[in-house]
Amino acid sequence: MPVLIRRTKQGTWLFPVVVTPKSHADEVVPVVANDEAIAVKVRALPDKGAANQAVIAVLAKALKLPKTSLSVAHGATSRQKQIALEGIADAAQLLSHFSAIAAAPPETVFLFRE
Protein backbone atom coordinates (compact mmCIF):
# COMPACT_ATOMS: atom_id res chain seq x y z
CA MET A 1 0.00 0.00 0.00
CA PRO A 2 1.39 3.44 -0.85
CA VAL A 3 2.06 6.20 1.66
CA LEU A 4 -1.22 8.10 2.15
CA ILE A 5 -0.88 11.88 2.11
CA ARG A 6 -4.22 13.46 2.88
CA ARG A 7 -5.54 16.98 2.98
CA THR A 8 -7.62 18.23 5.90
CA LYS A 9 -10.61 20.53 5.56
CA GLN A 10 -8.36 23.38 6.70
CA GLY A 11 -5.99 22.76 3.77
CA THR A 12 -3.13 21.18 5.72
CA TRP A 13 -1.53 18.05 4.29
CA LEU A 14 -0.86 15.16 6.73
CA PHE A 15 1.49 12.25 6.15
CA PRO A 16 2.82 9.37 8.30
CA VAL A 17 6.43 9.14 9.42
CA VAL A 18 8.28 6.45 11.39
CA VAL A 19 11.29 7.84 13.25
CA THR A 20 14.48 6.10 14.30
CA PRO A 21 16.21 8.30 16.90
CA LYS A 22 19.86 7.82 17.95
CA SER A 23 20.77 6.79 14.41
CA HIS A 24 24.21 7.08 12.84
CA ALA A 25 23.04 9.76 10.38
CA ASP A 26 20.22 12.19 9.67
CA GLU A 27 18.39 10.92 6.58
CA VAL A 28 15.10 10.14 4.90
CA VAL A 29 15.04 6.53 3.73
CA PRO A 30 13.92 6.40 0.07
CA VAL A 31 10.26 5.39 -0.12
CA VAL A 32 9.35 2.23 -2.05
CA ALA A 33 6.00 0.89 -3.25
CA ASN A 34 5.13 -1.22 -0.19
CA ASP A 35 5.98 1.41 2.45
CA GLU A 36 3.08 2.78 4.49
CA ALA A 37 5.07 5.59 6.09
CA ILE A 38 8.13 7.68 5.38
CA ALA A 39 11.12 6.45 7.41
CA VAL A 40 13.29 9.16 8.92
CA LYS A 41 16.53 8.50 10.82
CA VAL A 42 17.94 11.16 13.12
CA ARG A 43 20.99 11.32 15.36
CA ALA A 44 19.14 13.28 18.03
CA LEU A 45 17.96 11.65 21.22
CA PRO A 46 14.22 11.46 21.90
CA ASP A 47 14.62 13.95 24.75
CA LYS A 48 12.75 17.24 25.22
CA GLY A 49 11.65 17.37 21.58
CA ALA A 50 15.16 17.18 20.11
CA ALA A 51 14.30 14.25 17.83
CA ASN A 52 11.11 15.99 16.64
CA GLN A 53 13.07 19.12 15.74
CA ALA A 54 15.60 16.98 13.88
CA VAL A 55 12.83 15.16 11.98
CA ILE A 56 11.39 18.49 10.81
CA ALA A 57 14.84 19.70 9.73
CA VAL A 58 15.66 16.49 7.84
CA LEU A 59 12.27 16.39 6.10
CA ALA A 60 12.43 20.08 5.18
CA LYS A 61 15.85 19.61 3.59
CA ALA A 62 14.85 16.43 1.72
CA LEU A 63 11.57 17.90 0.46
CA LYS A 64 13.14 21.29 -0.31
CA LEU A 65 10.65 23.13 1.88
CA PRO A 66 11.07 25.70 4.66
CA LYS A 67 11.11 24.20 8.17
CA THR A 68 8.28 26.54 9.13
CA SER A 69 5.93 24.72 6.75
CA LEU A 70 6.28 21.42 8.66
CA SER A 71 5.20 20.43 12.18
CA VAL A 72 4.43 17.33 14.21
CA ALA A 73 0.63 17.08 14.24
CA HIS A 74 0.29 13.82 16.18
CA GLY A 75 2.67 11.47 17.96
CA ALA A 76 5.10 13.91 19.54
CA THR A 77 6.27 11.25 22.02
CA SER A 78 5.98 8.28 19.66
CA ARG A 79 8.16 6.93 16.86
CA GLN A 80 5.06 6.91 14.65
CA LYS A 81 4.07 10.47 13.82
CA GLN A 82 1.75 12.45 11.59
CA ILE A 83 3.53 15.39 10.03
CA ALA A 84 1.53 18.46 9.01
CA LEU A 85 2.56 20.39 5.91
CA GLU A 86 1.19 23.84 5.14
CA GLY A 87 1.59 26.19 2.21
CA ILE A 88 1.19 23.74 -0.68
CA ALA A 89 -1.77 24.49 -2.91
CA ASP A 90 -2.48 21.18 -4.65
CA ALA A 91 -1.40 17.55 -5.09
CA ALA A 92 0.58 18.25 -8.27
CA GLN A 93 2.75 20.79 -6.47
CA LEU A 94 3.10 18.42 -3.52
CA LEU A 95 4.16 15.57 -5.80
CA SER A 96 7.06 17.62 -7.12
CA HIS A 97 8.44 17.92 -3.56
CA PHE A 98 7.82 14.28 -2.59
CA SER A 99 9.41 12.88 -5.76
CA ALA A 100 12.81 13.72 -4.24
CA ILE A 101 12.40 10.99 -1.60
CA ALA A 102 10.84 8.28 -3.79
CA ALA A 103 12.91 5.25 -4.81
CA ALA A 104 10.33 4.43 -7.49
CA PRO A 105 8.03 6.60 -9.61
CA PRO A 106 6.28 8.84 -7.06
CA GLU A 107 2.85 7.98 -8.44
CA THR A 108 3.44 4.38 -7.30
CA VAL A 109 4.59 5.14 -3.73
CA PHE A 110 2.37 8.07 -2.71
CA LEU A 111 -1.41 8.33 -2.68
CA PHE A 112 -2.78 11.88 -2.42
CA ARG A 113 -6.29 12.49 -1.09
CA GLU A 114 -7.77 15.96 -1.28
Side-chain angles (χ1 to χ4, degrees):
M1 180 174 175
V3 175
L4 176 63
I5 301 171
R6 63 184 176 86
R7 190 171 198 165
T8 66
K9 291 179 183 177
Q10 295 78 25
T12 301
W13 295 94
L14 294 174
F15 59 93
V17 171
V18 176
V19 178
T20 304
K22 301 187 287 186
S23 185
H24 68 282
D26 292 333
E27 64 181 339
V28 175
V29 178
V31 181
V32 295
N34 60 348
D35 289 346
E36 293 185 13
I38 298 168
V40 179
K41 296 180 179 181
V42 294
R43 290 179 281 194
L45 298 173
D47 184 42
K48 299 178 184 167
N52 289 338
Q53 291 175 359
V55 167
I56 297 301
V58 169
L59 282 170
K61 183 176 180 182
L63 297 172
K64 297 176 177 75
L65 292 166
K67 287 188 271 188
T68 55
S69 67
L70 298 165
S71 62
V72 177
H74 304 287
T77 60
S78 171
R79 289 180 186 228
Q80 297 180 351
K81 303 180 184 305
Q82 285 287 319
I83 302 296
L85 170 58
E86 296 187 34
I88 301 291
D90 57 32
Q93 185 183 6
L94 192 63
L95 182 63
S96 70
H97 289 282
F98 276 84
S99 63
I101 61 170
E107 301 83 18
T108 64
V109 295
F110 298 110
L111 175 62
F112 298 98
R113 288 240 171 94
E114 292 196 59

